[in-house]
Amino acid sequence: AQSVTQLDSHVSVSEGTPVLLRCNYSSSYSPSLFWYVQHPNKGLQLLLKYTSAATLVKGINGFEAEFKKSETSFHLTKPSAHMSDAAEYFCVVPNNNDMRFGAGTRLTVKP
Amino acid sequence: KAGVTQTPRYLIKTRGQQVTLSCSPISGHRSVSWYQQTPGQGLQFLFEYFSETQRNKGNFPGRFSGRQFSNSRSEMNVSTLELGDSALYLCASSLVGSGRPSTDTQYFGPGTRLTVL
């Protein structure tokens, strides 16, 4: 079965500084991987997805993620945090018949 | 294209009652999946419907059921509500849904916040 582990439940950064949200996956093959963001009282919005076309994936709002097979990682980064980035982020992997979500990382952005 | 819509957005029920939630997928999407989100358990898969058939089911009791109509709209029903059913219920639609490996992207609605008193 495929699964993902988000290594940090909470990350706090200052506005204008880089963001790093970590995700490791477990899979017997190169999976598809997704990052979603959820703002308070909202549904999930797709940030980006990896489908083996390119290891560096660019998403919306300046986010990107790099697929590293040797490290089984798919970390999400952004060069400069904005106040509007404060939200919960989920790393997701398809697993046979459903999608498996990480536990989520809450990003706080300080002014 | 319009996104995934869910109705109602908020619902308050009492224990023992039943509830029906509705989801309208993105036009052209045939797969609809339902998830339950709670602070303690996170996001958990309930079931997936494709072409009016339940294709996959998560590990939830039989009180949770659903259906899909010919226009791909879906409803989920929870009978005999318990306090622990209080959650955000999210619906997601995609073109073709599950499969291994799947690159099909799920698009989520805003959710229905169910509170059971």
Side-chain angles (χ1 to χ4, degrees), chain A residues 3-4 11-13 15 20 26 28 37 47 51 56 65 70-71 83 87 93 95 101 105:
Chain A
S3 65
V4 289
V11 170
S12 181
V13 301
E15 191 174 20
L20 170 63
S26 172
S28 55
V37 60
L47 277 176
T51 58
L56 183 62
S70 60
E71 299 176 10
M83 295 297 291
V93 64
N95 175 67
F101 287 77
T105 298

Side-chain angles (χ1 to χ4, degrees), chain A residues 37-56:
Chain A
V37 60
Q38 185 178 34
H39 289 92
N41 298 313
K42 302 281 188 184
L44 277 73
Q45 180 185 19
L46 178 69
L47 277 176
L48 51 81
K49 73 175 185 181
Y50 166 75
T51 58
S52 77
T55 56
L56 183 62

Side-chain angles (χ1 to χ4, degrees), chain A residues 29 32 36 38 43 49 97, chain B residues 37 56 100 102-103 105-106 109:
Chain A
Y29 54 88
S32 301
Y36 284 86
Q38 185 178 34
K49 73 175 185 181
N97 300 320
Chain B
Q37 185 179 26
N56 303 297
R100 180 172 53 176
S102 173
T103 60
T105 300
Q106 290 193 332

